[in-house]
Amino acid sequence: MLRADAVRKSFGDHEVLKGISLEVADGEVVCLIGASGSGKSTLLRCLNLLEQVDDGDVWLDEQEITDPRVDADAVRREIGIVFQAYNLFPHLSVLDNITLGPIKARGVAKNEAVAAAHVLLERVGLAEKAKAYPDALSGGQQQRVALVRAIAMRPRLLLLDEITSALDPMLVGEVLDVIRELRRDGMTIVMATHEMTFAREISDRIVFMADGLVEEVGPPEQIFTAPRSPRTAEFLARHRA
Amino acid sequence: MTPSARQLDRERLRRRRSLTRGAVAALSTVVVLGVVALVVVRSPGWDRVQATYFNRNDALAALPDVASAFLLNIRLFLVAEVLILVVGLAVAIVRVIPSPALAPLKVIAVLYADIFRGTPTLLIVLLVGFGVPALNLTGMPTSLFWLGVVALTLSYGAYVAEVIRAGILSIHPTQWASGRALGLTYGQTMRHIVLPQAIRRVAPPLLNDFVSLQKDTALLSTIGLVEALRAANVISSRDFVFTPLVVAAVFFIVATIPLARFTDYLTVRSLRRENGL
């Protein structure tokens, strides 16, 4: 489904990604863990083409999406991304936030998009908030809307960038519930997270990143109970609750 | 770290693409401007137009008079700009302060903005220029210069007040909350937190108004101030040529360009600083 090969990215003199390779299978949930500044967010932004890679390539199924001739907008319609800071459009209602993409970028008929949005809002427990505006919602509610907005595009792949990091613990649960449900639906997900317990529960594989490189990859049980790399062990020791 | 062959390919492709874009931009610009120039120059009346509007000798003859008259325009708009900012800021702040004691001032501020934004600037110039001296009040300015400055300030102060007010209202309430949470008073929060952000945000429309003001100093010719337009008009009606008017126009254009570039510079700088670009 997704393959990144020796991806490099620098900002000025600072090399954030030093040759990252990663493969994600159809329907797989992969969690990226690692200290702040290890390159998780930058990697996700490169996968979505929000950042141009300096070297290496990224493949989505049979297409090399880092090729300059590729239509980036078309690629992004297939790859949803949700950010830490929600980034809902404050001038649009919840419903309009969700239907804007399907209607304008996908060409879905308005009544279909609205009906689909209502179904999704119902599933995340926000049916009654369709007419509300983002600033009137709590952080957890806003983040659930942001998830719905991404899913409404029916992406092949969903990228989640520390989407619970700005939420207080009481609200984290409701957002994680949505991700659990997406996993049950078979959505392919790559998520950067600091929620170790959740990562262990939800992932098929864990990728531990350090200093812009993949330090260790493995199934959650192995990573959490028998990490091969001392750096992984040290990181997990500091993050265990 | 040497880039991979694939990356070198990509870079080559991107370079070629940006060269193509540059070429398309250059070519289309030359073609469009060329066609416009051709259409104008080859029009049947071009020779007559050129002789009346773009005559070199007439231009040179008019230059000293128009130039020295334009110094008056510069003095007018420099003084007016300062006063307009003061009036605009005061009116805007009075309108947003939630204090009940200021109610009468608020009413005056609203009336002022409504009336002076709704009245043509030319009309205000005529009313102030001829009306105020007729009042025979002691202490009122009688020099045409100051009457002109007052008229422009009244008119543009109303616009600028609304622009600044919009800027203040556009700052997110959390900024007020953060300021007050630090123990700052309403006034301190306004002065140190909200206004600096608001003014930055509205700098482009604000400077837009000032560009407009610089041109509108020409309206003061109607009350007898001999500024650039008036000076040009005197020559052109004496000699039946229009070139002096074009000379005056050039002065106005040239005077607005520094302000426009300054606005661009400010916008880019604040974007850079705040987004770390």
Side-chain angles (χ1 to χ4, degrees):
Chain A
M1 143 88 29
L2 179 81
R3 185 161 59 86
D5 193 20
V7 169
R8 289 176 176 273
K9 178 71 191 173
S10 302
F11 294 103
D13 293 337
H14 181 51
E15 192 171 32
V16 183
L17 301 180
K18 299 177 181 167
I20 293 264
S21 299
L22 177 72
E23 267 188 71
V24 181
D26 217 344
E28 197 179 21
V29 175
V30 173
C31 277
L32 309 177
I33 62 171
S36 301
S38 58
K40 305 185 297 287
S41 291
T42 306
L43 176 60
L44 292 178
R45 293 173 67 84
C46 285
L47 298 181
N48 187 281
L49 304 185
L50 289 172
E51 301 288 352
Q52 201 176 79
V53 302
D54 293 340
D55 206 337
D57 31 82
V58 180
W59 295 73
L60 183 67
D61 291 328
E62 296 308 308
Q63 187 184 27
E64 194 221 316
I65 60 176
T66 34
D67 188 313
R69 281 161 297 208
V70 161
D71 174 7
D73 293 336
V75 171
R76 294 199 197 98
R77 285 196 281 271
E78 305 300 325
I79 304 180
I81 186 163
V82 180
F83 304 96
Q84 179 177 343
Y86 330 139
N87 297 4
L88 294 176
F89 307 124
H91 63 299
L92 298 178
S93 70
V94 165
L95 189 65
D96 291 338
N97 260 281
I98 298 168
T99 54
L100 185 71
I103 294 172
K104 301 291 179 195
R106 276 259 193 246
V108 175
K110 185 165 183 214
N111 53 352
E112 279 173 43
V114 168
H118 279 299
V119 170
L120 289 171
L121 279 173
E122 181 83 43
R123 282 182 57 186
V124 300
L126 291 172
E128 77 287 5
K129 297 290 186 192
K131 294 264 175 282
Y133 281 81
D135 282 343
L137 303 180
S138 75
Q141 292 171 332
Q142 289 190 50
Q143 196 58 294
R144 280 183 280 160
V145 173
L147 275 164
V148 168
R149 182 175 68 178
I151 304 160
M153 288 293 287
R154 303 189 175 284
R156 281 193 265 165
L157 169 69
L158 188 61
L159 308 175
L160 308 176
D161 188 4
E162 295 188 22
I163 63 168
T164 57
S165 296
L167 299 175
D168 73 74
M170 295 291 289
L171 301 176
V172 168
E174 63 191 39
V175 172
L176 297 186
D177 282 341
V178 176
I179 303 174
R180 285 193 187 94
E181 198 160 325
L182 289 174
R183 181 195 159 86
R184 272 199 296 280
D185 293 349
M187 176 69 83
T188 312
I189 299 174
V190 179
M191 65 184 288
T193 186
H194 289 297
E195 298 281 334
M196 294 304 150
T197 324
F198 182 70
R200 187 170 180 171
E201 167 206 327
I202 196 109
S203 317
D204 296 302
R205 274 186 310 146
I206 302 260
V207 175
F208 173 64
M209 289 176 62
D211 295 331
L213 286 167
V214 172
E215 180 79 16
E216 183 168 358
V217 186
E221 284 317 307
Q222 179 257 308
I223 295 278
F224 280 93
T225 56
R228 277 187 216 103
S229 151
R231 292 193 72 169
T232 317
E234 189 201 352
F235 173 80
L236 288 173
R238 269 186 287 121
H239 280 79
R240 199 144 294 164
Chain B
M1 180 65 207
T2 45
S4 63
R6 170 167 262 146
Q7 182 63 22
L8 289 174
D9 267 354
R10 274 181 209 149
E11 275 159 20
R12 217 169 298 131
L13 185 66
R14 288 202 181 99
R15 254 198 314 276
R16 214 167 48 222
R17 200 177 271 177
S18 68
L19 278 177
T20 317
R21 284 182 180 183
V24 169
L27 192 70
S28 60
T29 309
V30 168
V31 167
V32 169
L33 293 185
V35 167
V36 169
L38 256 172
V39 166
V40 170
V41 173
R42 302 200 48 189
S43 63
W46 171 242
D47 287 341
R48 272 230 331 270
V49 168
Q50 191 184 22
T52 22
Y53 287 93
F54 301 105
N55 185 299
R56 210 179 113 83
N57 292 332
D58 289 349
L60 286 176
L63 197 59
D65 278 3
V66 176
S68 68
F70 193 72
L71 288 178
L72 178 60
N73 294 74
I74 294 176
R75 270 165 55 218
L76 281 166
F77 68 66
L78 285 182
V79 174
E81 274 165 11
V82 173
L83 293 179
I84 287 165
L85 264 187
V86 172
V87 169
L89 203 56
V91 172
I93 290 176
V94 163
R95 285 195 70 175
V96 296
I97 287 182
S99 156
L102 286 174
L105 267 183
K106 277 171 177 300
V107 173
I108 292 174
V110 173
L111 282 177
Y112 163 71
D114 284 355
I115 291 173
F116 281 90
R117 251 189 336 161
T119 315
T121 306
L122 177 57
L123 218 59
I124 297 173
V125 167
L126 292 173
L127 289 174
V128 171
F130 297 127
V132 171
L135 291 173
N136 279 324
L137 284 172
T138 45
M140 280 291 175
T142 46
S143 89
L144 282 176
F145 179 86
W146 284 104
L147 286 170
V149 167
V150 166
L152 290 179
T153 305
L154 285 173
S155 179
Y156 276 85
Y159 284 105
V160 167
E162 286 306 285
V163 170
I164 295 177
R165 188 169 73 102
I168 294 173
L169 295 180
S170 78
I171 301 302
H172 201 272
T174 51
Q175 289 297 305
W176 283 103
S178 306
R180 300 307 293 274
L182 286 176
L184 301 181
T185 63
Y186 181 91
Q188 287 170 322
T189 310
M190 177 72 102
R191 157 82 182 75
H192 297 288
I193 312 286
V194 176
L195 269 185
Q197 298 183 57
I199 297 291
R200 239 165 251 164
R201 193 170 288 181
V202 298
L206 216 51
L207 290 169
N208 212 11
D209 279 345
F210 282 160
V211 167
S212 174
L213 167 81
Q214 296 189 355
K215 296 180 296 177
D216 274 356
T217 51
L219 292 175
L220 299 180
S221 63
T222 55
I223 57 170
L225 274 171
V226 185
E227 47 66 67
L229 176 59
R230 176 74 164 227
N233 226 339
V234 167
I235 306 172
S236 91
S237 40
R238 186 190 63 205
D239 301 346
F240 295 109
V241 288
F242 287 105
T243 305
L245 295 179
V246 175
V247 171
V250 169
F251 272 101
F252 281 103
I253 293 169
V254 169
T256 58
I257 288 174
L259 204 50
R261 290 296 86 80
F262 184 60
T263 319
D264 294 349
Y265 162 75
L266 282 185
T267 314
V268 170
R269 192 187 65 164
S270 78
L271 271 177
R272 283 239 173 88
R273 240 186 354 206
E274 281 164 33
N275 299 341
L277 293 176

